[in-house]
Amino acid sequence: WLTETLGNCESQRSKANGVIIGTLQIKTQAQSQTNCAGSTANFAISASGSGNLNYIWQRKLPSGEGFVNLSSADIYVENFQTNALRVRYIGNSHNPDGTLFRCVVTDSLTTVFSDEVRLNVNSVKGNFTDKNVCRGNDIAVDFAQNQSTTGTPTGFQWQSRTGVGATWINLQESTEKIGVNTKVLTLRNIQDSLQYRCNVTFGSSSGSCSESTDDFYIYPVDFPTKPADLTFEFCQNSTSPNLGIVAPTGGQVLYYSSLHSGEYSTLQPIISTINVGNQTQYFSIKNSADCESQKSLISITIAPSPQAPIILTNSPRMFGDTLKFWTAAVNPKWYSTASGTAFSNQAPKFTEVGNYEVWLTETLGNCESQRSKANGTIIGTLQIKTQAQSQTNCAGNTANFAIS
């Protein structure tokens, strides 16, 4: 209001109106948010300006080229046309770790952009596999070898349960459960089948959050039964034998040169039959879970092979006599061929004219000598077997007489 004065006199008041227009500005910026996958993140700003303010939030994916306005077609976001944006189920493909957000604010005169803020998603990714452990043995499970994290873990808690649907129980440090709050869990003296997982704690914008790994079973597997000791006997200079030891289905035979040796072979050792005497080997059975039985003894005896016998004969013989073969061998085997398997313990005899071959071995226990060979002959005596016959014919013709 305004007046004019003249001496002691003052005019009536005149009125005038004026406006100072505020510039559009972001008074409070949103802050980057950190939370666990599947949780919610909230971004909020405050702004002032001329008249009504309009808000629209924008998003830029890590693989995107620029910011894009959010709309009702974008699932998992709420209140995108207000000053406070709500993002649900973070960590999925719509709002992955590293997504950027900003708000565009417009009044009657101008437009401003808020600062860019980042969505940080704590997550655990990876796969544990079920494990078979020999009953009573130990096992170490390393988080870092099977899992990776987005974000920085602040704590680990290993858990177990009896099976699907049962309640997860936090493991407590003990002599049989070591490192229950570290990346490496060591379990000793495994006896029971249990399901395990690791619950990982992260820092978040609201304080802390946690993510769990996938679960896995640890199954105790019984050791194979100790196989029976085995005894073999082989003949000197025989072909290196196959012991014929076969593991149960899914198992494997391990061969050791001594009882206390740690080195083994999955191939049967070559058995030398050159020298007479006793040999020892050891073997065990390992199952599909790599559980190994106690070692069993393989006793091998290399028995002496007898010398090839001498064959005596009364050859040659004349027809009408008997061709005989004989020997001083104690346990003879007479063969009619060099390699056939049919034999007789009785010395052969022949009465027909011809040439004969015989083979002979000596046996000692289960061992048989090389074959000795002998020849014999029965010679036919001179004799007329068929006489000529008298012939009758006319004078001047021919007559034929023949014998054999």
Side-chain angles (χ1 to χ4, degrees), residues 20 28 47 65-66 87 141 152 155 219 228 233-234 277 281 308 329 336 351 389:
I20 297 176
T28 304
E65 295 183 356
V87 183
V141 183
T152 302
Y219 298 103
E233 181 177 302
F234 303 108
Q281 299 281 344
S336 59
T351 58
Q389 302 296 314

Side-chain angles (χ1 to χ4, degrees), residues 95-325:
N95 300 289
D97 178 65
T99 300
L100 299 179
F101 294 91
R102 71 181 181 185
C103 188
V104 183
V105 186
T106 303
D107 65 5
S108 59
L109 298 176
T110 188
T111 296
V112 295
F113 294 87
S114 70
D115 292 344
E116 299 174 5
V117 288
R118 190 178 193 275
L119 175 63
N120 302 301
V121 181
N122 297 322
S123 63
V124 177
K125 296 180 180 179
N127 292 103
F128 282 115
T129 57
D130 294 341
K131 306 177 189 302
N132 293 323
V133 182
C134 302
R135 190 179 300 277
N137 279 8
D138 306 338
I139 186 174
V141 183
D142 191 341
F143 176 94
Q145 289 184 353
N146 299 272
Q147 306 285 333
S148 63
T149 59
T150 302
T152 302
T154 59
F156 298 87
Q157 176 62 64
W158 290 91
Q159 300 173 321
S160 71
R161 65 180 181 180
T162 55
V164 176
T167 302
W168 287 103
I169 298 174
N170 289 342
L171 296 181
Q172 302 298 318
E173 193 78 11
S174 68
T175 56
E176 294 188 346
K177 301 178 183 67
I178 301 170
V180 299
N181 298 122
T182 69
K183 286 186 177 182
V184 180
L185 172 67
T186 300
L187 300 172
R188 292 181 174 172
N189 189 28
I190 297 294
Q191 296 292 338
D192 300 314
S193 295
L194 293 174
Q195 206 171 20
Y196 294 86
R197 73 178 185 184
C198 186
N199 188 262
V200 185
T201 303
F202 298 87
S204 74
S205 299
S206 59
S208 66
C209 63
S210 62
E211 284 281 298
S212 293
T213 65
D214 61 326
D215 49 68
F216 61 97
Y217 275 98
I218 294 181
Y219 298 103
V221 179
D222 291 327
F223 285 91
T225 302
K226 179 181 181 294
D229 293 340
L230 300 176
T231 300
F232 298 93
E233 181 177 302
F234 303 108
C235 299
Q236 185 181 18
N237 296 319
S238 61
T239 302
S240 183
N242 181 358
L243 301 181
I245 302 174
V246 179
T249 301
Q252 191 174 36
V253 180
L254 307 182
Y255 295 93
Y256 294 87
S257 59
S258 68
L259 180 60
H260 302 293
S261 173
E263 296 183 2
Y264 64 84
S265 173
T266 57
L267 299 176
Q268 178 198 300
I270 296 174
I271 308 301
S272 173
T273 62
I274 296 175
N275 298 317
V276 173
N278 297 317
Q279 303 177 20
T280 56
Q281 299 281 344
Y282 294 86
F283 77 104
S284 65
I285 301 297
K286 183 172 70 172
N287 61 24
S288 58
D290 287 338
C291 303
E292 186 179 353
S293 71
Q294 296 181 26
K295 296 175 185 175
S296 296
L297 174 67
I298 303 174
S299 297
I300 301 172
T301 299
I302 307 301
S305 293
Q307 296 292 323
I310 298 174
I311 304 174
L312 302 175
T313 179
N314 62 353
S315 178
R317 291 285 92 192
M318 299 301 294
F319 179 72
D321 292 338
T322 299
L323 175 62
K324 297 180 181 180
F325 295 89

Side-chain angles (χ1 to χ4, degrees), residues 371-382:
R371 296 188 184 188
S372 299
K373 179 184 177 182
N375 299 298
T377 302
I378 295 179
I379 303 171
T381 56
L382 180 59

Side-chain angles (χ1 to χ4, degrees), residues 6-26:
L6 181 62
N8 292 323
C9 298
E10 183 177 7
S11 70
Q12 292 183 351
R13 296 185 181 185
S14 300
K15 179 182 178 182
N17 296 299
V19 176
I20 297 176
I21 299 173
T23 58
L24 179 60
Q25 59 181 319
I26 306 291

